[in-house]
Amino acid sequence: MEDILPVIETKLREAFGEDIISAEMMRDFPVFTVKKDRIIDVVKFLYDEPEMQFRFLTDLCGIHFPDNKGQELGVIYHLHNMRRNWRIRLRIFFPLTDAVVPTLTTVFSAANWMERETYDFFGITFKGHPDLRRILNVDDLGGFPLLKEFPLEDPTRVDKDDKMFGR
Amino acid sequence: MAQAKQKGRMVQQTPPETAEKLEEKEYSILNLGPSHPATHGVFQNILKMDGEIIIDSEPTIGYIHRAFEKLAERRPYNQITPITDRLNYCSSPINNMGWHMTVEKLIEAKIPRRVEYMRIIIMELSRIADHLVCNSVIGVDAGALTGFVYVFEEREKIYEIFESICGARLTTNIGRIGGFERDFTDVTWAKIKKFMKEFPAILKEFEKLLVRNRIFMDRTIGAGSISADRALNYGFTGPNLRAAGVDYDVRVMNPYSGYEDFKFDIPIGTNGDTYDRFMVREHEIWESYSIIQQAIAKIEQMPGKEFKGDVPDFYLPPKEEVYNNMEALIYHFKIVMGETNIPKGEVYHCVEGGNGELGFYLVSDGGRTPYRLHFRRPCFIYYQAYPEMIRGNLLSDAIVTMSSMNVIAGELDA
């Protein structure tokens, strides 16, 4: 596979300068960390720019690093340029207290449910999303299950006693 | 801002006489699902109907959500395979192999060619099973039950092949990280060859029933169509995208497991309607059939009987070696105590599942379980286009559209 990291990095740096925080290769994927507020501009740029044409949103998901103080939450975008078969990953990180991200539904219709899922599991609010509700979990779950502090098992259960056997 | 608002209102405004008519009209609300025989899974659609025409629909999903991504954060890598079974349960082996390959990518394991071809046989068999279910169910929903009965017998034979390899039929948990549990036995090979011999006649019979059937064509042509542009924007992949006319197939675009050594065509449609989706799947079955033939021929020419790569972290050593050999003892201990060495890193790996690009985004922090695992489930992503696809169609079109999209509840809800 041709080395696409420098090509895309130059383009992005030209257009966004310091807003591209890092660019690196992770296995077979070029990965760019972007400032949160510029993410939609970056995606739009990659969508429109004739040499880039990342016109397919492969995946969008959240991630939680409780130990990264000030950067606990993240959203990860996988974009695909089908013409040239380039795949890239964009990441944004932001604090738990400011979990508001601009929505990508303006560019990709596919982002609608993916963002709802991310909201459902991480409590990340997508600003401008047309219909931001829980999608897989029940409405009164009271918590965001994929945050690391959320217990895997219902903590209120008394019928499961781990005292003797642990796990 | 004010101008934009004004503009928005202008666009929404309908001419007076129509508006009056609309006011008079009473729409009926129809509840399709959550448990309805025609949805083939547990999900609800609240349809707003004008007579028999669908004005709008509101899908609700999540009825069988099982928190796989959370579960995966507490399970060792080999115990995640059974979870993947339950994503698209019509083609579990593809999900299993996809997961194995993701971990192999993370630990940078080298897999022998023979094992890769064995995997291809399994994956293509399960693709055939998946497409057979989908296509025959389109027939059932259009009122043709006969074909369904024909091909389900063949699907049964495919499941018997899986059974002789791994002991399970539907939720297979087939193979391991690094290869297979054991080599295919002679019985398995005999079963595969018998299937290969008998299958074409039955599939041809099935095609005779439906492909040029006037009633079936009238029911499916133009039902639930989507343009290539919209399909791409909605993140469609797999047969549904190809039916819309985009020749995207992960097997060709990013070959994995040795697909680059095989010759096969990517069938595409033009209208993206139910009939095209049916036909694309039908042709894909033939392509899969030819891939299996090629794979069998390739394996027969190979010397040796390898069935796994060199990944001692995931294979318990034989007991007699554990007692007599230090290295084997160490690996035995590490595996049993869950201390396998997994490197840190992030990988994304995708395979062409029965419904499209099935992706695994895996973040490892070096611990014994994944730090974060996200499944890119093709069903979940393209099902959101369903309201747009059935708008203005008849209710009966909505039913065949849903079955032709092959919406599998397990994959939808994860």
Side-chain angles (χ1 to χ4, degrees), chain B residues 3-118:
Chain B
Q3 206 179 3
K5 239 183 174 174
Q6 188 80 31
K7 218 176 171 185
R9 205 177 298 145
M10 293 266 284
V11 171
Q12 280 182 357
Q13 225 169 40
T14 34
E17 61 274 3
T18 340
E20 254 171 44
K21 262 189 200 159
L22 280 178
E23 299 255 313
E24 283 168 17
K25 206 163 237 172
E26 213 173 85
Y27 295 112
S28 45
I29 302 293
L30 186 71
N31 217 339
L32 185 69
S35 52
H36 187 280
T39 58
H40 308 291
V42 196
F43 35 91
Q44 186 187 27
N45 261 291
I46 299 170
L47 305 174
K48 190 177 168 192
M49 311 277 300
D50 175 10
E52 245 193 297
I53 294 176
I54 295 161
I55 304 293
D56 207 357
S57 84
E58 168 71 42
T60 310
I61 65 166
Y63 286 94
I64 61 160
H65 173 56
R66 292 143 297 171
F68 284 164
E69 289 175 13
K70 187 75 178 174
L71 276 177
E73 288 175 9
R74 279 278 294 271
R75 285 186 170 216
Y77 286 79
N78 56 329
Q79 289 185 10
I80 292 171
T81 322
I83 288 184
T84 61
D85 282 339
R86 283 138 182 94
L87 288 171
N88 181 352
Y89 39 71
C90 285
S91 52
S92 318
I94 304 185
N95 310 347
N96 298 155
M97 304 287 168
W99 167 244
H100 296 330
M101 282 183 259
T102 312
V103 181
E104 282 156 17
K105 202 173 185 178
L106 182 73
I107 64 177
E108 286 170 1
K110 278 261 179 304
I111 304 301
R113 266 295 191 238
R114 184 168 188 269
V115 179
E116 293 193 326
Y117 293 159
M118 279 158 75

Side-chain angles (χ1 to χ4, degrees), chain B residues 14 53 87 194 269 301 317 331 335 352 372 374-375 403 411:
Chain B
T14 34
I53 294 176
L87 288 171
K194 185 158 176 280
Q301 283 168 7
Y331 273 117
I335 293 169
E352 180 73 24
R372 167 97 172 94
H374 180 74
F375 303 109
S403 46
E411 199 174 55

Side-chain angles (χ1 to χ4, degrees), chain B residues 180-384:
Chain B
F180 284 92
E181 302 92 319
R182 60 188 81 83
D183 196 12
F184 290 0
T185 57
D186 293 339
V187 177
T188 310
W189 282 116
K191 278 185 176 168
I192 293 174
K193 281 182 184 148
K194 185 158 176 280
F195 170 80
M196 294 300 282
K197 212 172 123 200
E198 290 168 0
F199 179 65
I202 305 219
L203 188 63
K204 270 181 197 147
E205 209 165 353
F206 174 71
E207 285 184 344
K208 260 187 215 158
L209 278 169
L210 289 177
V211 171
R212 300 298 295 172
N213 181 331
R214 192 70 246 168
I215 304 168
F216 182 72
M217 287 168 85
D218 285 347
R219 279 293 302 276
T220 51
I221 290 176
S225 61
I226 189 162
S227 69
D229 257 5
R230 290 304 293 154
L232 280 172
N233 202 264
Y234 264 121
F236 273 49
T237 42
N240 295 346
L241 179 67
R242 291 193 281 274
V246 183
D247 59 343
Y248 172 61
D249 189 319
V250 185
R251 289 176 291 173
V252 177
M253 196 81 114
N254 299 85
Y256 52 91
S257 193
Y259 268 111
E260 62 272 22
D261 303 345
F262 291 83
K263 266 194 186 156
F264 58 101
D265 292 335
I266 305 296
I268 59 166
T270 45
N271 302 322
D273 58 9
T274 301
Y275 188 69
D276 279 8
R277 284 191 282 273
F278 173 84
M279 288 308 287
V280 164
R281 285 207 171 83
E282 206 58 50
H283 282 290
E284 267 180 30
I285 294 176
W286 287 116
E287 294 306 324
S288 294
Y289 181 83
S290 118
I291 294 173
I292 299 172
Q293 272 183 330
Q294 295 173 42
I296 293 174
K298 279 184 206 284
I299 289 178
E300 276 176 349
Q301 283 168 7
M302 277 179 182
K305 294 272 179 202
E306 291 168 294
F307 59 90
K308 64 186 178 73
D310 184 23
V311 278
D313 278 330
F314 292 98
Y315 278 88
L316 270 180
K319 204 66 181 176
E320 60 272 19
E321 271 185 44
V322 176
Y323 289 135
N324 298 314
N325 181 334
M326 191 62 199
E327 205 192 343
L329 178 65
I330 291 171
Y331 273 117
H332 179 91
F333 183 78
K334 280 170 96 175
I335 293 169
V336 172
M337 300 308 289
E339 296 292 346
T340 41
N341 297 327
I342 305 287
K344 287 182 186 182
E346 281 184 37
V347 287
Y348 176 82
H349 184 69
C350 53
V351 294
E352 180 73 24
N355 288 333
E357 181 177 335
L358 177 74
F360 298 86
Y361 174 55
L362 169 64
V363 181
S364 160
D365 64 345
R368 57 175 78 172
T369 62
Y371 186 79
R372 167 97 172 94
L373 175 63
H374 180 74
F375 303 109
R376 184 213 190 267
R377 296 149 0 242
C379 256
F380 176 76
I381 292 165
Y382 65 62
Y383 183 54
Q384 53 185 316

